[in-house]
Amino acid sequence: MEMKVPNATADVSASDASAATRAPGRFRALVRREEIALVVLAALVGALGGLLVMGIGGAAQALHVFLFRLEPGAKLSGSQTLASPLLAFLPVAGGALLGLMLAWSAWRKSRPLIDPIEANALHGGRMSFRDGIVVVAQNLVSNGFGASVGLEAAYTQISAGLASRFGVAFEMRRGDMRTLVGCGAAAAIAAAFDAPLTGAFYAFELIIGTYSVVALAPVVAAALCGMFVSRLLSHGSHFIDMTAPATLPASAWPAALLLAALAAGLGILIMQGVTLVERGFRRTGLPAAMRPAVGGLLLGGLALLTPQVLSSGHGALEVRIDAAMSLSSLFVILALKALASAVSIGSGFRGGLFFASLFLGAMLGRIFATLAGPLLPGVEPVVFAVVGMSALATAIVGGPLTMTFLALEMTGDFPIAALVLLAAVATSLAVRRTFGYSFATWRFHLRGESIRSAHDIGWIRNLTVGRMMRRDLRTVPTDTSLKAFRRSFPLGSTQRVIAVDPASDAYAGIVLVPDAYADGLSDLDAPISTLLRFTDATLRPSMNAREAMAVFDAAESEALAVVDGPETKRVVGLLTESHTLRRYSEELDLRRREATGTA
C-alpha cells in the first residue's frame, strides 16, 4: 500500500483541478489518443493566448497614456521629457498600490506563485490560472505606473496558466501537459513580438527544456495562431528598418565574439545587481510591502533625468537603435536603464527583463560599434546594435536560438542572423561556464531550488521513498531473546526483521534472519540486540529515488528501514534497493518514450 506524502504537484493546482470543468469523456480520450487533436487544442490555446496578450498590452498602453499624459499611440519610454515633474511620483504611487497587493497576499498566506519554467521543471506542467491573473494584475500596476519591467512575465504566465487549465480539464498525461504549457508561452511571445519562430523556440529552449519532433507541431500551431491574432488586432510594426551590407567584412566575426564576451559580462553584472539591490532593501528592515514605493521614489528620480528608463523600453528602442547619438549619451542611457531595471526588480516590482535586456543590448552594441568603427568598414552601427541586443538577451533570458530567430524576424536579414547566432551561442557558453544561470533560474537558485532549466526533474522528486516503500513489515523489540526470535521467524520465512526500542518504539536496527541461525550462537537467552545491523542508516518518506540510492550505496545494504523523522525514528516502512532501481528505470523509460512520442 502506498503512503500518502505531500505532493507539490497536487498542491500547485488542486484548487484549479477541482474548479475546472472537465471536458466530455470522448473529447478527453480523443486529445489523449490523437496527436492531431492535441495540435487543434494547442491552436486554440495559441489564439486565446494571443487575445490575452493583446488585451494586457492594450491595458498597459492605456495606463501610460492616461497617467503620463501621452499622445495616443506614443510610447512612454520614447518620451524625451515628462509632461510634468510631478509625474515622477507615479512610480511611487504604483509601488504603494503594489505593496497593498503584496500585503493582501501575505495576509491571506498565499503560496508562492509558480511560473511556467518551474511548473514544467517540477510539477509536470501543472500551474494555477488564478496565479496568472495575480501576476497580470501586479505586472500591469508595475509597468503601467512606469517601473522598468516588461510585460512578458504577464504574457507567458497567463497564457501558460490557461494552457495548464485546459490540460487539467482534458486530464492530459505529464508529457502532453508540459508541451501544452510550452504552447501557451510560445503563443504569448509570438503575439508580443509578431515572431512565431521566436515564440516556438522560446517554448523549446526555456519552457519545455528540450526540442522534440513530437512537440513541434503543437508548439508551432500555437505560435502561429498567437501571431495571427496579434496581426488582426494590432497594426504596429516590430521590424527594424536597416540597410545591411551586401557582405560582412571578415573582421565582423571576431568583433561579434568580442561583443558576446562583453554582453556576457554585462548580463552577469545586471543579474548580480538585481540581487544586491534586493539584499540592500532587505537589510533596511523595511516590510516587503513598502519596498516597491521606495524603489519607485528612486525610479522617479531617474525618470527626471530621462523618461527612457521607464517601462520596458519599446519606445526607447525604436528611438535609439539607429539614432545619431554621442558616445557619452549611449553610456548614460545604458547605465541609467540598467540601474532602473535593477532597482525595479530588486525593490519588488513585478515583471521581467526580457525587453529591457534587448534595449540594453542594443545600447551596448551601439557603444561597441562606435569604438570599433574604424575596424569595421562598411558596417552600420545598427548591425552591432542588433547583435548586442540578441547577445545580452541571451545572457539574461537564455535561449540563443530564440534570440537568433528574434533578430532574423525583426530584420529579415540572414547574414546578420548568422552573425547574431555566433554571438548568442558564444554568450550562452560564456554565461553558462562562468555563472551558470539565466535570470529566471538565478532567482530559483536564490530561493534554494536547483533548477537550471525547464527540463523535467519533477518526476524524480515525485518518485519518493514514501511512494515506493512497503508497509507490510513486522517489527521485533530489541530485548527479544534469540530463542523467541527463532520461534517467531523460522529460517526461510523472511530475509530481515526491523528491530525497535521496546520503550520508545524507535528504530534500532535490522536483524538478518540468517544471522540468528549462524553457527556459534550458543546462548539462546541473549537478546537480539547483539545482531543488529545498519543502526545508523535509515530513509525518510520525503527522500527521492536518487537520494535513497545514495544512502543504499553508503550503507552497502540491500534494504533499509523508513522512519518518520530523526527525532522519533518510528518505523513506517521498508524499501529495497532492487525495487528502487526498478521503479527508477521504469519512470526514466517513460520519460524517454514521452519525448519520442511512443508513450
Short mmCIF file of all heavy atoms in Angstrom, two decimals, residues 54-117:
data_model
loop_
_atom_site.label_atom_id
_atom_site.label_comp_id
_atom_site.label_asym_id
_atom_site.label_seq_id
_atom_site.Cartn_x
_atom_site.Cartn_y
_atom_site.Cartn_z
N MET A 54 -2.77 40.72 -26.35
CA MET A 54 -3.22 41.99 -26.89
C MET A 54 -4.00 42.79 -25.85
O MET A 54 -3.86 44.01 -25.75
CB MET A 54 -4.11 41.75 -28.13
CG MET A 54 -3.34 41.22 -29.34
SD MET A 54 -2.08 42.38 -29.95
CE MET A 54 -0.59 41.70 -29.20
N GLY A 55 -4.82 42.11 -25.05
CA GLY A 55 -5.57 42.82 -24.01
C GLY A 55 -4.67 43.41 -22.94
O GLY A 55 -4.84 44.55 -22.52
N ILE A 56 -3.66 42.63 -22.51
CA ILE A 56 -2.74 43.12 -21.47
C ILE A 56 -1.90 44.28 -22.01
O ILE A 56 -1.72 45.31 -21.35
CB ILE A 56 -1.83 41.97 -20.99
CG1 ILE A 56 -2.66 40.90 -20.30
CG2 ILE A 56 -0.75 42.50 -20.05
CD1 ILE A 56 -1.91 39.61 -20.04
N GLY A 57 -1.38 44.11 -23.23
CA GLY A 57 -0.60 45.19 -23.83
C GLY A 57 -1.40 46.45 -24.02
O GLY A 57 -0.91 47.57 -23.76
N GLY A 58 -2.66 46.31 -24.44
CA GLY A 58 -3.52 47.48 -24.61
C GLY A 58 -3.83 48.16 -23.29
O GLY A 58 -3.86 49.39 -23.21
N ALA A 59 -4.01 47.36 -22.24
CA ALA A 59 -4.29 47.94 -20.93
C ALA A 59 -3.08 48.71 -20.41
O ALA A 59 -3.22 49.81 -19.85
CB ALA A 59 -4.67 46.83 -19.94
N ALA A 60 -1.89 48.16 -20.60
CA ALA A 60 -0.67 48.86 -20.15
C ALA A 60 -0.48 50.17 -20.91
O ALA A 60 -0.15 51.20 -20.32
CB ALA A 60 0.54 47.95 -20.33
N GLN A 61 -0.71 50.14 -22.22
CA GLN A 61 -0.56 51.35 -23.01
C GLN A 61 -1.60 52.40 -22.60
O GLN A 61 -1.29 53.60 -22.53
CB GLN A 61 -0.70 51.02 -24.50
CG GLN A 61 -0.65 52.21 -25.44
CD GLN A 61 0.67 52.96 -25.39
OE1 GLN A 61 1.67 52.44 -24.89
NE2 GLN A 61 0.69 54.18 -25.91
N ALA A 62 -2.82 51.94 -22.33
CA ALA A 62 -3.85 52.88 -21.89
C ALA A 62 -3.47 53.54 -20.56
O ALA A 62 -3.70 54.74 -20.36
CB ALA A 62 -5.19 52.15 -21.74
N LEU A 63 -2.87 52.77 -19.64
CA LEU A 63 -2.41 53.34 -18.39
C LEU A 63 -1.32 54.37 -18.62
O LEU A 63 -1.32 55.44 -18.00
CB LEU A 63 -1.88 52.23 -17.47
CG LEU A 63 -2.92 51.40 -16.71
CD1 LEU A 63 -2.25 50.22 -16.00
CD2 LEU A 63 -3.66 52.27 -15.70
N HIS A 64 -0.39 54.08 -19.53
CA HIS A 64 0.68 55.04 -19.83
C HIS A 64 0.11 56.34 -20.37
O HIS A 64 0.50 57.44 -19.96
CB HIS A 64 1.65 54.43 -20.85
CG HIS A 64 2.46 53.30 -20.31
ND1 HIS A 64 3.13 52.40 -21.12
CD2 HIS A 64 2.70 52.89 -19.04
CE1 HIS A 64 3.75 51.52 -20.38
NE2 HIS A 64 3.50 51.79 -19.12
N VAL A 65 -0.82 56.22 -21.33
CA VAL A 65 -1.39 57.41 -21.95
C VAL A 65 -2.15 58.24 -20.91
O VAL A 65 -2.02 59.48 -20.86
CB VAL A 65 -2.33 57.01 -23.11
CG1 VAL A 65 -3.12 58.22 -23.61
CG2 VAL A 65 -1.52 56.40 -24.25
N PHE A 66 -2.93 57.57 -20.07
CA PHE A 66 -3.74 58.28 -19.08
C PHE A 66 -2.88 58.89 -17.97
O PHE A 66 -3.03 60.07 -17.63
CB PHE A 66 -4.78 57.33 -18.49
CG PHE A 66 -5.59 57.93 -17.38
CD1 PHE A 66 -6.57 58.87 -17.65
CD2 PHE A 66 -5.36 57.56 -16.05
CE1 PHE A 66 -7.31 59.44 -16.61
CE2 PHE A 66 -6.09 58.12 -15.02
CZ PHE A 66 -7.07 59.07 -15.31
N LEU A 67 -1.99 58.11 -17.41
CA LEU A 67 -1.23 58.56 -16.25
C LEU A 67 -0.13 59.55 -16.61
O LEU A 67 0.10 60.54 -15.90
CB LEU A 67 -0.62 57.36 -15.51
CG LEU A 67 -1.60 56.38 -14.86
CD1 LEU A 67 -0.86 55.18 -14.32
CD2 LEU A 67 -2.39 57.06 -13.75
N PHE A 68 0.56 59.30 -17.73
CA PHE A 68 1.70 60.13 -18.08
C PHE A 68 1.38 61.18 -19.14
O PHE A 68 2.27 61.81 -19.68
CB PHE A 68 2.87 59.25 -18.56
CG PHE A 68 3.50 58.46 -17.46
CD1 PHE A 68 3.05 57.18 -17.15
CD2 PHE A 68 4.55 58.98 -16.72
CE1 PHE A 68 3.64 56.44 -16.13
CE2 PHE A 68 5.15 58.25 -15.71
CZ PHE A 68 4.68 56.97 -15.41
N ARG A 69 0.08 61.33 -19.46
CA ARG A 69 -0.39 62.38 -20.38
C ARG A 69 0.31 62.28 -21.74
O ARG A 69 0.81 63.27 -22.28
CB ARG A 69 -0.16 63.77 -19.78
CG ARG A 69 -0.76 63.96 -18.40
CD ARG A 69 -0.42 65.34 -17.87
NE ARG A 69 -0.71 65.47 -16.45
CZ ARG A 69 -0.38 66.54 -15.72
NH1 ARG A 69 0.24 67.57 -16.30
NH2 ARG A 69 -0.67 66.58 -14.44
N LEU A 70 0.31 61.09 -22.28
CA LEU A 70 0.92 60.87 -23.58
C LEU A 70 -0.10 61.08 -24.69
O LEU A 70 -1.32 60.97 -24.47
CB LEU A 70 1.49 59.45 -23.68
CG LEU A 70 2.53 59.02 -22.64
CD1 LEU A 70 2.93 57.57 -22.88
CD2 LEU A 70 3.75 59.93 -22.68
N GLU A 71 0.40 61.33 -25.87
CA GLU A 71 -0.47 61.34 -27.05
C GLU A 71 -0.86 59.90 -27.36
O GLU A 71 -0.07 58.98 -27.15
CB GLU A 71 0.26 61.95 -28.26
CG GLU A 71 0.59 63.42 -28.11
CD GLU A 71 -0.67 64.27 -28.07
OE1 GLU A 71 -1.66 63.89 -28.72
OE2 GLU A 71 -0.67 65.30 -27.36
N PRO A 72 -2.07 59.68 -27.87
CA PRO A 72 -2.47 58.31 -28.22
C PRO A 72 -1.47 57.67 -29.18
O PRO A 72 -1.08 58.27 -30.17
CB PRO A 72 -3.85 58.51 -28.88
CG PRO A 72 -4.37 59.78 -28.28
CD PRO A 72 -3.16 60.66 -28.08
N GLY A 73 -1.05 56.48 -28.85
CA GLY A 73 -0.09 55.76 -29.68
C GLY A 73 1.35 56.01 -29.31
O GLY A 73 2.25 55.29 -29.76
N ALA A 74 1.63 57.05 -28.51
CA ALA A 74 3.01 57.34 -28.11
C ALA A 74 3.46 56.33 -27.06
O ALA A 74 2.67 55.84 -26.25
CB ALA A 74 3.11 58.76 -27.57
N LYS A 75 4.75 56.03 -27.05
CA LYS A 75 5.33 55.09 -26.09
C LYS A 75 5.99 55.86 -24.96
O LYS A 75 6.68 56.86 -25.19
CB LYS A 75 6.36 54.19 -26.78
CG LYS A 75 5.78 53.34 -27.92
CD LYS A 75 4.84 52.29 -27.36
CE LYS A 75 4.26 51.41 -28.47
NZ LYS A 75 5.29 50.62 -29.16
N LEU A 76 5.80 55.38 -23.73
CA LEU A 76 6.32 56.08 -22.57
C LEU A 76 7.84 56.21 -22.62
O LEU A 76 8.40 57.29 -22.41
CB LEU A 76 5.90 55.34 -21.29
CG LEU A 76 6.47 55.87 -19.98
CD1 LEU A 76 6.11 57.34 -19.77
CD2 LEU A 76 5.98 55.03 -18.80
N SER A 77 8.53 55.11 -22.92
CA SER A 77 9.99 55.15 -22.91
C SER A 77 10.56 55.90 -24.11
O SER A 77 11.77 56.14 -24.17
CB SER A 77 10.57 53.74 -22.86
OG SER A 77 10.14 52.99 -23.99
N GLY A 78 9.70 56.27 -25.06
CA GLY A 78 10.16 57.05 -26.20
C GLY A 78 10.07 58.55 -25.97
O GLY A 78 10.48 59.34 -26.82
N SER A 79 9.56 58.94 -24.80
CA SER A 79 9.42 60.37 -24.49
C SER A 79 10.78 60.98 -24.19
O SER A 79 11.66 60.34 -23.61
CB SER A 79 8.49 60.56 -23.28
OG SER A 79 7.24 59.92 -23.49
N GLN A 80 10.91 62.24 -24.55
CA GLN A 80 12.15 62.95 -24.27
C GLN A 80 12.15 63.57 -22.87
O GLN A 80 13.18 63.63 -22.21
CB GLN A 80 12.38 64.05 -25.31
CG GLN A 80 12.53 63.52 -26.73
CD GLN A 80 13.70 62.57 -26.88
OE1 GLN A 80 14.79 62.85 -26.39
NE2 GLN A 80 13.48 61.46 -27.56
N THR A 81 10.97 64.01 -22.42
CA THR A 81 10.83 64.59 -21.08
C THR A 81 9.45 64.22 -20.55
O THR A 81 8.53 63.90 -21.31
CB THR A 81 10.96 66.12 -21.09
OG1 THR A 81 9.98 66.67 -21.97
CG2 THR A 81 12.36 66.55 -21.52
N LEU A 82 9.29 64.31 -19.23
CA LEU A 82 7.98 64.10 -18.62
C LEU A 82 7.13 65.34 -18.84
O LEU A 82 7.63 66.47 -18.87
CB LEU A 82 8.14 63.85 -17.12
CG LEU A 82 8.82 62.54 -16.71
CD1 LEU A 82 9.02 62.50 -15.20
CD2 LEU A 82 8.01 61.33 -17.16
N ALA A 83 5.82 65.13 -19.01
CA ALA A 83 4.91 66.26 -19.22
C ALA A 83 4.91 67.20 -18.01
O ALA A 83 4.64 68.40 -18.16
CB ALA A 83 3.50 65.74 -19.49
N SER A 84 5.19 66.66 -16.84
CA SER A 84 5.27 67.47 -15.62
C SER A 84 6.22 66.78 -14.65
O SER A 84 6.21 65.55 -14.55
CB SER A 84 3.90 67.63 -14.96
OG SER A 84 4.02 68.14 -13.66
N PRO A 85 7.05 67.52 -13.94
CA PRO A 85 7.94 66.88 -12.96
C PRO A 85 7.18 66.08 -11.90
O PRO A 85 7.72 65.12 -11.34
CB PRO A 85 8.68 68.07 -12.33
CG PRO A 85 8.61 69.15 -13.35
CD PRO A 85 7.29 68.98 -14.04
N LEU A 86 5.93 66.46 -11.63
CA LEU A 86 5.15 65.74 -10.64
C LEU A 86 4.86 64.30 -11.06
O LEU A 86 4.59 63.44 -10.22
CB LEU A 86 3.82 66.46 -10.38
CG LEU A 86 3.93 67.85 -9.71
CD1 LEU A 86 2.56 68.48 -9.58
CD2 LEU A 86 4.60 67.73 -8.35
N LEU A 87 4.94 64.04 -12.37
CA LEU A 87 4.70 62.68 -12.86
C LEU A 87 5.79 61.71 -12.41
O LEU A 87 5.61 60.50 -12.49
CB LEU A 87 4.61 62.68 -14.38
CG LEU A 87 3.44 63.47 -14.99
CD1 LEU A 87 3.47 63.40 -16.51
CD2 LEU A 87 2.10 62.96 -14.47
N ALA A 88 6.91 62.26 -11.93
CA ALA A 88 7.97 61.39 -11.42
C ALA A 88 7.54 60.64 -10.17
O ALA A 88 8.19 59.66 -9.76
CB ALA A 88 9.23 62.22 -11.13
N PHE A 89 6.44 61.10 -9.54
CA PHE A 89 5.95 60.41 -8.34
C PHE A 89 4.99 59.26 -8.69
O PHE A 89 4.57 58.53 -7.77
CB PHE A 89 5.23 61.40 -7.42
CG PHE A 89 6.16 62.35 -6.73
CD1 PHE A 89 6.34 63.64 -7.23
CD2 PHE A 89 6.86 61.96 -5.61
CE1 PHE A 89 7.21 64.53 -6.61
CE2 PHE A 89 7.73 62.84 -4.98
CZ PHE A 89 7.91 64.12 -5.47
N LEU A 90 4.68 59.09 -9.96
CA LEU A 90 3.78 57.99 -10.33
C LEU A 90 4.37 56.62 -9.99
O LEU A 90 3.63 55.74 -9.50
CB LEU A 90 3.44 58.07 -11.81
CG LEU A 90 2.36 59.09 -12.19
CD1 LEU A 90 2.20 59.19 -13.70
CD2 LEU A 90 1.03 58.73 -11.54
N PRO A 91 5.67 56.37 -10.21
CA PRO A 91 6.20 55.07 -9.77
C PRO A 91 6.06 54.84 -8.27
O PRO A 91 5.91 53.70 -7.82
CB PRO A 91 7.68 55.13 -10.19
CG PRO A 91 7.71 56.08 -11.34
CD PRO A 91 6.67 57.12 -11.00
N VAL A 92 6.10 55.92 -7.48
CA VAL A 92 5.88 55.79 -6.03
C VAL A 92 4.46 55.32 -5.77
O VAL A 92 4.21 54.42 -4.95
CB VAL A 92 6.16 57.12 -5.31
CG1 VAL A 92 5.97 56.96 -3.81
CG2 VAL A 92 7.56 57.63 -5.64
N ALA A 93 3.50 55.95 -6.47
CA ALA A 93 2.09 55.55 -6.30
C ALA A 93 1.89 54.11 -6.74
O ALA A 93 1.19 53.33 -6.08
CB ALA A 93 1.19 56.49 -7.10
N GLY A 94 2.52 53.74 -7.85
CA GLY A 94 2.43 52.36 -8.31
C GLY A 94 3.03 51.39 -7.30
O GLY A 94 2.48 50.31 -7.05
N GLY A 95 4.17 51.78 -6.72
CA GLY A 95 4.79 50.93 -5.71
C GLY A 95 3.93 50.77 -4.48
O GLY A 95 3.84 49.69 -3.89
N ALA A 96 3.26 51.86 -4.08
CA ALA A 96 2.37 51.78 -2.93
C ALA A 96 1.18 50.87 -3.21
O ALA A 96 0.78 50.05 -2.36
CB ALA A 96 1.88 53.18 -2.55
N LEU A 97 0.61 50.98 -4.42
CA LEU A 97 -0.51 50.11 -4.79
C LEU A 97 -0.07 48.65 -4.86
O LEU A 97 -0.77 47.75 -4.37
CB LEU A 97 -1.08 50.56 -6.14
CG LEU A 97 -2.27 49.77 -6.69
CD1 LEU A 97 -3.41 49.72 -5.69
CD2 LEU A 97 -2.73 50.35 -8.02
N LEU A 98 1.10 48.43 -5.44
CA LEU A 98 1.62 47.06 -5.50
C LEU A 98 1.89 46.53 -4.09
O LEU A 98 1.64 45.36 -3.79
CB LEU A 98 2.90 47.01 -6.33
CG LEU A 98 3.57 45.65 -6.47
CD1 LEU A 98 2.67 44.66 -7.18
CD2 LEU A 98 4.90 45.76 -7.19
N GLY A 99 2.39 47.40 -3.20
CA GLY A 99 2.62 47.00 -1.82
C GLY A 99 1.35 46.54 -1.13
O GLY A 99 1.35 45.57 -0.36
N LEU A 100 0.24 47.24 -1.40
CA LEU A 100 -1.04 46.80 -0.84
C LEU A 100 -1.43 45.42 -1.35
O LEU A 100 -1.95 44.59 -0.60
CB LEU A 100 -2.13 47.82 -1.18
CG LEU A 100 -2.02 49.20 -0.49
CD1 LEU A 100 -3.10 50.14 -1.02
CD2 LEU A 100 -2.13 49.04 1.02
N MET A 101 -1.18 45.18 -2.64
CA MET A 101 -1.48 43.87 -3.21
C MET A 101 -0.61 42.78 -2.57
O MET A 101 -1.10 41.68 -2.26
CB MET A 101 -1.27 43.90 -4.72
CG MET A 101 -2.18 44.89 -5.44
SD MET A 101 -1.73 45.16 -7.18
CE MET A 101 -2.23 43.60 -7.88
N LEU A 102 0.66 43.09 -2.35
CA LEU A 102 1.55 42.12 -1.72
C LEU A 102 1.15 41.87 -0.26
O LEU A 102 1.21 40.73 0.22
CB LEU A 102 3.00 42.62 -1.79
CG LEU A 102 3.60 42.75 -3.19
CD1 LEU A 102 5.00 43.36 -3.11
CD2 LEU A 102 3.67 41.39 -3.88
N ALA A 103 0.75 42.94 0.43
CA ALA A 103 0.31 42.79 1.82
C ALA A 103 -0.95 41.93 1.91
O ALA A 103 -1.10 41.11 2.82
CB ALA A 103 0.07 44.17 2.44
N TRP A 104 -1.84 42.11 0.94
CA TRP A 104 -3.07 41.30 0.91
C TRP A 104 -2.73 39.83 0.71
O TRP A 104 -3.28 38.96 1.38
CB TRP A 104 -3.98 41.81 -0.20
CG TRP A 104 -5.16 40.92 -0.49
CD1 TRP A 104 -5.31 40.08 -1.55
CD2 TRP A 104 -6.33 40.77 0.31
NE1 TRP A 104 -6.51 39.42 -1.48
CE2 TRP A 104 -7.17 39.82 -0.34
CE3 TRP A 104 -6.77 41.34 1.50
CZ2 TRP A 104 -8.39 39.44 0.18
CZ3 TRP A 104 -8.00 40.96 2.01
CH2 TRP A 104 -8.79 40.02 1.35
N SER A 105 -1.79 39.55 -0.21
CA SER A 105 -1.38 38.17 -0.44
C SER A 105 -0.72 37.57 0.80
O SER A 105 -0.95 36.41 1.15
CB SER A 105 -0.41 38.09 -1.63
OG SER A 105 -1.04 38.49 -2.83
N ALA A 106 0.11 38.39 1.48
CA ALA A 106 0.76 37.90 2.70
C ALA A 106 -0.26 37.64 3.80
O ALA A 106 -0.16 36.66 4.55
CB ALA A 106 1.80 38.91 3.17
N TRP A 107 -1.27 38.51 3.91
CA TRP A 107 -2.31 38.33 4.92
C TRP A 107 -3.10 37.05 4.67
O TRP A 107 -3.47 36.35 5.61
CB TRP A 107 -3.23 39.54 4.93
CG TRP A 107 -4.33 39.44 5.95
CD1 TRP A 107 -4.24 39.61 7.30
CD2 TRP A 107 -5.71 39.13 5.68
NE1 TRP A 107 -5.47 39.43 7.91
CE2 TRP A 107 -6.39 39.13 6.93
CE3 TRP A 107 -6.43 38.84 4.51
CZ2 TRP A 107 -7.75 38.86 7.04
CZ3 TRP A 107 -7.79 38.58 4.62
CH2 TRP A 107 -8.43 38.59 5.88
N ARG A 108 -3.33 36.76 3.40
CA ARG A 108 -4.06 35.54 3.05
C ARG A 108 -3.16 34.31 3.11
O ARG A 108 -3.61 33.19 2.94
CB ARG A 108 -4.64 35.66 1.64
CG ARG A 108 -5.73 36.69 1.50
CD ARG A 108 -6.33 36.61 0.11
NE ARG A 108 -6.88 35.30 -0.15
CZ ARG A 108 -7.17 34.83 -1.37
NH1 ARG A 108 -6.92 35.57 -2.43
NH2 ARG A 108 -7.68 33.63 -1.53
N LYS A 109 -1.85 34.53 3.34
CA LYS A 109 -0.86 33.44 3.38
C LYS A 109 -0.89 32.64 2.10
O LYS A 109 -0.91 31.40 2.10
CB LYS A 109 -1.11 32.54 4.59
CG LYS A 109 -0.93 33.26 5.92
CD LYS A 109 -1.14 32.33 7.10
CE LYS A 109 -0.95 33.07 8.41
NZ LYS A 109 -1.17 32.21 9.60
N SER A 110 -0.93 33.37 0.98
CA SER A 110 -0.94 32.72 -0.32
C SER A 110 0.40 32.04 -0.56
O SER A 110 1.45 32.53 -0.16
CB SER A 110 -1.21 33.75 -1.43
OG SER A 110 -2.44 34.41 -1.21
N ARG A 111 0.35 30.89 -1.21
CA ARG A 111 1.59 30.18 -1.52
C ARG A 111 2.34 30.92 -2.61
O ARG A 111 1.76 31.75 -3.34
CB ARG A 111 1.27 28.76 -2.01
CG ARG A 111 0.28 28.75 -3.15
CD ARG A 111 0.09 27.38 -3.71
NE ARG A 111 -1.00 27.35 -4.67
CZ ARG A 111 -0.94 27.87 -5.87
NH1 ARG A 111 0.17 28.48 -6.27
NH2 ARG A 111 -1.96 27.81 -6.70
N PRO A 112 3.65 30.67 -2.75
CA PRO A 112 4.42 31.34 -3.81
C PRO A 112 3.86 31.02 -5.19
O PRO A 112 3.36 29.92 -5.45
CB PRO A 112 5.83 30.75 -3.64
CG PRO A 112 5.87 30.27 -2.23
CD PRO A 112 4.48 29.82 -1.90
N LEU A 113 3.92 32.02 -6.08
CA LEU A 113 3.41 31.83 -7.44
C LEU A 113 4.35 30.92 -8.22
O LEU A 113 5.57 31.00 -8.09
CB LEU A 113 3.28 33.19 -8.14
CG LEU A 113 2.38 34.22 -7.43
CD1 LEU A 113 2.39 35.53 -8.19
CD2 LEU A 113 0.97 33.70 -7.29
N ILE A 114 3.78 30.06 -9.03
CA ILE A 114 4.54 29.11 -9.84
C ILE A 114 4.55 29.62 -11.27
O ILE A 114 3.50 29.82 -11.88
CB ILE A 114 3.91 27.70 -9.79
CG1 ILE A 114 3.79 27.22 -8.35
CG2 ILE A 114 4.73 26.74 -10.62
CD1 ILE A 114 5.10 27.06 -7.64
N ASP A 115 5.75 29.84 -11.85
CA ASP A 115 5.82 30.31 -13.23
C ASP A 115 5.99 29.12 -14.17
O ASP A 115 6.17 27.98 -13.73
CB ASP A 115 6.94 31.35 -13.39
CG ASP A 115 8.32 30.74 -13.45
OD1 ASP A 115 8.46 29.52 -13.23
OD2 ASP A 115 9.28 31.48 -13.71
N PRO A 116 5.89 29.33 -15.50
CA PRO A 116 5.92 28.19 -16.42
C PRO A 116 7.19 27.36 -16.35
O PRO A 116 7.13 26.13 -16.50
CB PRO A 116 5.77 28.87 -17.80
CG PRO A 116 5.06 30.16 -17.53
CD PRO A 116 5.55 30.59 -16.19
N ILE A 117 8.35 27.99 -16.14
CA ILE A 117 9.60 27.22 -16.08
C ILE A 117 9.56 26.29 -14.87
O ILE A 117 9.86 25.09 -14.98
CB ILE A 117 10.81 28.17 -16.00
CG1 ILE A 117 10.93 28.99 -17.28
CG2 ILE A 117 12.09 27.38 -15.76
CD1 ILE A 117 12.06 30.00 -17.26
#
